[in-house]
Amino acid sequence: MDVLSQDIMYLPGVGPNRKKVLSQELGIETFGDLLEYYPYKYVDRSKVYKIHELTGEMPFVQVVGRILSFDTFEMGPHKERVVAHFTDGTGIMDLVWFNGGKYAKQNYKTGTSYVVFGKPSVYNSRIQVQHPEIDEAANVDVSAMGMQPYYNTTEKMKKQNFSSRSVERLTKTLIDRLREPLPETLTADILSSRHLMGRDEALRTLHYPQDARQLERARLRMKFEELFYVQLNILRYASDQRRKYRGYVFNRIGPIFNTFYKENLPFELTGAQKRVMHEIRRDVCSGRQMNRLLQGDVGSGKTLVALMAMLIAIDNGFQACIMAPTEILAEQHLVTIQNFLKGMNVRVELLTGMVKGKRRTQVLEGLLAGEVQILVGTHAVIEDTVLFRRLGLVVIDEQHRFGVAQRAKLWAKAAPVDNSSISKTIEASSGTVGGATPSGTSIPHVLVMTATPIPRTLAMTLYGDLDVSVIDELPPGRKPIRTIHVFDNRTTSLYDGIRRQIQQGRQVYIVFPLIEESEKIDLKNLEQGFEVLLQAFPEFRLSKVHGKMKPAEKEEQMRRFVSGETQILVATTVIEVGVNVPNASVMVIFDAQRFGLSQLHQLRGRVGRGADQSFCILVTGYKLSEDTRKRIDIMCETNDGFRIAEADLKLRGPGDLEGTQQSGMAFDLKIADIARDGLIVQMARDEAQHIVDDDPQCQAQKYQLLWNHLKEMRKTNINWAAIS
């Protein structure tokens, strides 16, 4: 049995009770889990300070000396403060315990030489260290201590006296027991070409480094390994998909697309839109299934590009569908597509949970008969009762709310008609043959759209199986939105500015973070805010929208604002996606410090959709944390969604980004950091790509070490499907 797979309970110092704590609090079940529970910081223990050198501003220090005496001070019933007076001959300092003083008095003796370690501070003009770590000097070789590791522990662990030092002692016990070198997980070629440390040395070094340079080499090795296997899995999956599945061939640009392009296109495409259309066109003609991620900021024209791709599918005898994460956004897409196709003979239908009864039956029958050419919907589209005659293209809006498993369900929607009959239908209608070649099963093309710009390193991991297209231009005539930070004591001048904009015929969004008063957090909420705004703007009409309203009521309030009946829409973040009002030129966000960067950017994207100058006003109090100030400054400096996404990734980390954690895509990375290790991500991907290209069948003997290790990892609880 592999030593690293042994139950942690059998490590000396653990036992059943501690195993339960380690398992529940840190997810540590085996020796291997403990070995891969890495320190979060290190403190240099090689230096010994003299007491006369110490100041209250210094970080952790180490002093060797002896205890002169103890004092005990009562602090109320059953509580005491214990102080030991400690000297090294150059001065005297105090060691202080508010808890555990009884233990200190019983176990530490006056006159014995001790190594004391802790954070110095000053109290009553004397240096003191609270709750120090103490070792008998006779048992410690200070010169060989190097850098001491510190491990994250939970509150529950601390209550059971299970500290970082406790974890360190267990780790040392484990490493001392590992007599044989740990098995290698990377080939000799990779280690050599990438100048990487061996796995055995790296893991031992990560827990007990002798110096900073050695630690950095060990971290690089383990970060590379972690990211390499994520990328190898993604690229293997993508390669496998390409081999197993073909894409229907759309090699005809027909009358529907041409009519739209010549007569209905509302403006000339931007250079970026044309480039993306060429990429999509190349994919759907290639015979391989398109799996493409379309990134573009709010208002960049992604829906128009998606519609043109759907029209190509229709011209080739296929149906298309577009899926949105919410009913509001699905309805918005329906209206947008119907407006684009005005006067054209294309049947577009909506399918959401709200479409019921006779209407739903008509839509389902139309799909199966092939009469519905474009279906717009929500998750309702993947229900078993929804069947297409010949689904050729699936467009998914906001992928982070719609996982890989759901994508696979959509591919099966073409099942009622086999490939040969689809091919005959297309041949009859266009004179060309689409569908599968004999080497694989054909499935619909997939185009994934997101208005949340994704940093490149994150896209390589979150969407590693997708090709990426970017629309990085706004349509002509759009002016950049001006973003201004205002403190909440300046509302009078803010309201004057809003009034001037409305008098010029514009409309205004005002967003609050909460619906009802919070007892714990003193925030302006929507209900109170709405009352204040009614009094501040008696001459104007206001709408109010929040997530707890009934759908019909919410729709009516939205409709009034969209039609211009009301000039101000007071809302929560329910308007983050799915509202398109070109006449709205001002977005006011109260308590902006409560929102993440991506959310602020999404909200700002609700304005700036017309030709007029638009404004985004971020309202906060004076007291702001350093991170919040950075967020506000970035918003005021740039409208570039990719810069904002990079900054958000660095400030919050990948597991906390909008939509990743909530959808189960937070990474099980133990040491690598997608935000800060971009170069290592690229290095790992290049190496993984080379191996998949060289050995697409995963059978070459020289790579068996890698494929076998990947197979073992896939048996663990890591959510590999979500990562890919």
Side-chain angles (χ1 to χ4, degrees), residues 309-336:
M310 290 192 277
L311 296 181
I312 293 172
I314 294 168
D315 269 333
N316 284 272
F318 286 88
Q319 296 161 292
C321 84
I322 179 167
M323 288 196 51
T326 65
E327 293 194 354
I328 290 176
L329 192 49
E331 288 164 17
Q332 186 85 42
H333 279 318
L334 179 73
V335 171
T336 302

Side-chain angles (χ1 to χ4, degrees), residues 314-559:
I314 294 168
D315 269 333
N316 284 272
F318 286 88
Q319 296 161 292
C321 84
I322 179 167
M323 288 196 51
T326 65
E327 293 194 354
I328 290 176
L329 192 49
E331 288 164 17
Q332 186 85 42
H333 279 318
L334 179 73
V335 171
T336 302
I337 289 169
Q338 285 175 333
N339 288 339
F340 275 139
L341 298 177
K342 201 161 276 182
M344 292 183 62
N345 186 25
V346 177
R347 184 174 168 188
V348 185
E349 293 287 359
L350 178 72
L351 191 67
T352 68
M354 302 295 289
V355 179
K356 293 187 169 74
K358 189 178 177 185
R359 184 84 199 107
R360 189 179 188 85
T361 304
Q362 288 172 342
V363 172
L364 294 178
E365 287 173 352
L367 281 172
L368 199 50
E371 293 161 5
V372 174
Q373 292 152 295
I374 295 176
L375 181 69
V376 182
T378 55
H379 283 68
V381 170
I382 62 172
E383 290 172 7
D384 292 341
T385 53
V386 182
L387 295 170
F388 293 76
R389 174 158 177 76
R390 53 182 79 87
L391 179 61
L393 172 66
V394 177
V395 179
I396 301 169
D397 199 7
E398 293 305 333
Q399 151 81 1
H400 63 253
R401 305 182 193 197
F402 196 74
V404 175
Q406 287 98 326
R407 249 197 275 165
K409 279 190 90 169
L410 274 165
W411 294 342
K413 293 292 178 182
V417 177
D418 66 24
N419 293 331
S420 59
S421 64
I422 290 176
S423 300
K424 287 170 190 167
T425 306
I426 300 167
E427 194 170 16
S429 66
S430 65
T432 58
V433 178
T437 67
S439 62
T441 304
S442 286
I443 55 176
H445 297 289
V446 176
L447 181 66
V448 173
M449 302 194 301
T450 180
T452 307
I454 303 158
R456 203 168 143 275
T457 53
L458 190 60
M460 273 195 284
T461 309
L462 260 184
Y463 304 109
D465 62 320
L466 304 180
D467 299 312
V468 179
S469 292
V470 178
I471 300 181
D472 49 12
E473 292 175 60
L474 288 178
R478 296 274 178 92
K479 292 178 182 172
I481 302 161
R482 280 188 59 202
T483 304
I484 302 159
H485 178 207
V486 172
F487 291 114
D488 54 14
N489 62 351
R490 299 279 310 279
T491 49
T492 304
S493 60
L494 172 63
Y495 291 166
D496 288 343
I498 290 172
R499 191 170 281 107
R500 282 195 297 274
Q501 285 287 310
I502 298 174
Q503 285 166 350
Q504 289 170 27
R506 309 285 161 253
Q507 288 167 279
V508 176
Y509 296 103
I510 298 180
V511 174
F512 290 90
L514 292 179
I515 297 169
E516 293 156 357
E517 185 65 66
S518 165
E519 291 176 6
K520 292 183 180 176
I521 311 168
D522 180 25
L523 292 175
K524 296 176 182 66
N525 61 82
L526 184 134
E527 299 294 356
Q528 279 185 345
F530 188 70
E531 294 302 319
V532 169
L533 292 166
L534 282 173
Q535 293 170 25
F537 299 105
E539 70 271 43
F540 301 131
R541 291 184 297 280
L542 283 70
S543 290
K544 177 174 68 175
V545 175
H546 58 73
K548 290 190 177 178
M549 293 168 74
K550 290 178 180 171
E553 189 184 355
K554 195 192 302 178
E555 290 302 316
E556 174 57 20
Q557 291 290 322
M558 287 276 203
R559 185 201 63 74

Side-chain angles (χ1 to χ4, degrees), residues 562-711:
V562 171
S563 68
E565 288 175 40
T566 56
Q567 290 80 42
I568 299 173
L569 177 62
V570 184
T572 57
T573 54
V574 72
I575 61 156
E576 187 182 338
V577 290
V579 182
N580 183 14
V581 184
N583 192 47
S585 65
V586 181
M587 166 64 71
V588 179
I589 305 171
F590 277 100
D591 288 306
Q593 74 276 7
R594 299 291 301 165
F595 299 91
L597 262 176
S598 292
Q599 203 171 28
L600 289 172
H601 183 61
Q602 286 282 328
L603 287 166
R604 175 167 64 184
R606 295 303 104 209
V607 297
R609 291 169 165 255
D612 301 294
Q613 179 63 60
S614 289
F615 303 88
C616 177
I617 317 295
L618 307 176
V619 184
T620 72
Y622 272 100
K623 287 187 179 178
L624 299 175
S625 70
E626 191 181 341
D627 272 3
T628 302
R629 282 190 188 281
K630 281 183 189 168
R631 283 207 305 275
I632 301 293
D633 289 347
I634 290 162
M635 285 296 296
C636 294
E637 284 166 18
T638 184
N639 285 303
D640 183 339
F642 287 93
R643 262 194 70 192
I644 286 165
E646 289 281 1
D648 204 21
L649 187 58
K650 282 180 178 147
L651 283 170
R652 300 208 286 161
D656 195 35
L657 274 185
E658 187 70 26
T660 57
Q661 203 163 51
Q662 296 88 324
S663 63
M665 289 190 194
F667 308 121
D668 293 285
L669 298 180
K670 293 174 180 173
I671 190 167
D673 182 326
I674 298 285
R676 294 171 180 83
D677 296 326
L679 289 174
I680 307 175
V681 174
Q682 187 62 62
M683 186 165 79
R685 188 173 180 85
D686 291 345
E687 196 66 55
Q689 188 69 65
H690 164 71
I691 286 155
V692 169
D693 290 344
D694 196 34
D695 184 21
Q697 304 284 345
C698 311
Q699 290 176 348
Q701 189 57 42
K702 61 180 175 178
Y703 299 128
Q704 280 315 293
L705 170 71
L706 306 177
W707 298 127
N708 288 340
H709 187 63
L710 182 62
K711 205 177 288 181

Side-chain angles (χ1 to χ4, degrees), residues 111-177:
T112 302
S113 185
Y114 290 110
V115 179
V116 168
F117 179 75
K119 172 82 176 70
S121 59
V122 177
Y123 179 71
N124 281 345
S125 303
R126 184 182 278 190
I127 293 289
Q128 69 167 19
V129 174
Q130 294 180 13
H131 298 279
E133 288 183 21
I134 298 182
D135 291 291
E136 205 167 316
N139 300 331
V140 175
D141 179 2
V142 174
S143 64
M145 288 186 78
M147 300 170 78
Q148 181 173 329
Y150 278 75
Y151 300 83
N152 277 315
T153 53
T154 66
E155 285 305 315
K156 189 173 177 182
M157 291 174 73
K158 287 169 188 165
K159 283 176 185 171
Q160 297 184 34
N161 292 321
F162 208 143
S163 63
S164 165
R165 192 73 187 274
S166 310
V167 178
E168 185 210 333
R169 287 186 181 120
L170 293 177
T171 305
K172 188 165 190 333
T173 301
L174 172 59
I175 288 174
D176 288 345
R177 285 171 67 93

Side-chain angles (χ1 to χ4, degrees), residues 143-312:
S143 64
M145 288 186 78
M147 300 170 78
Q148 181 173 329
Y150 278 75
Y151 300 83
N152 277 315
T153 53
T154 66
E155 285 305 315
K156 189 173 177 182
M157 291 174 73
K158 287 169 188 165
K159 283 176 185 171
Q160 297 184 34
N161 292 321
F162 208 143
S163 63
S164 165
R165 192 73 187 274
S166 310
V167 178
E168 185 210 333
R169 287 186 181 120
L170 293 177
T171 305
K172 188 165 190 333
T173 301
L174 172 59
I175 288 174
D176 288 345
R177 285 171 67 93
L178 298 173
R179 307 275 185 233
E180 298 295 319
L182 295 164
E184 187 50 74
T185 52
L186 297 175
T187 63
D189 282 351
I190 294 175
L191 293 177
S192 168
S193 65
R194 298 292 177 180
H195 308 290
L196 296 172
M197 188 183 267
R199 189 168 195 263
D200 181 77
E201 184 186 358
L203 280 167
R204 293 173 193 266
T205 299
L206 274 171
H207 294 284
Y208 293 103
Q210 286 304 305
D211 56 56
R213 186 174 173 279
Q214 189 192 32
L215 172 62
E216 207 41 54
R217 287 193 63 221
R219 288 173 68 83
L220 171 63
R221 153 63 207 235
M222 296 314 296
K223 285 179 178 185
F224 177 88
E225 177 181 320
E226 197 165 52
L227 293 166
F228 169 76
Y229 277 104
V230 169
Q231 294 297 336
L232 187 65
N233 185 68
I234 291 166
L235 294 170
R236 178 207 57 80
Y237 167 83
S239 170
D240 205 37
Q241 291 295 108
R242 280 195 292 272
R243 275 204 328 279
K244 280 183 187 171
Y245 301 111
R246 304 285 298 171
Y248 300 119
V249 178
F250 301 165
N251 56 8
R252 179 179 189 235
I253 296 291
I256 293 172
F257 183 93
N258 286 328
T259 300
F260 174 77
Y261 197 85
K262 289 171 187 168
E263 297 176 19
N264 284 44
L265 196 64
F267 46 77
E268 187 173 349
L269 298 178
T270 63
Q273 285 174 314
K274 288 176 182 174
R275 184 183 69 241
V276 172
M277 278 308 303
H278 283 306
E279 290 166 350
I280 290 171
R281 182 94 176 86
R282 191 171 61 239
D283 282 353
V284 298
C285 286
S286 69
R288 71 181 185 90
Q289 187 213 14
M290 175 174 73
N291 257 313
R292 187 164 287 280
L293 173 68
L294 176 55
Q295 293 192 68
D297 239 329
V298 176
S300 61
K302 296 184 299 298
T303 307
L304 176 58
V305 167
L307 173 61
M308 291 167 73
M310 290 192 277
L311 296 181
I312 293 172

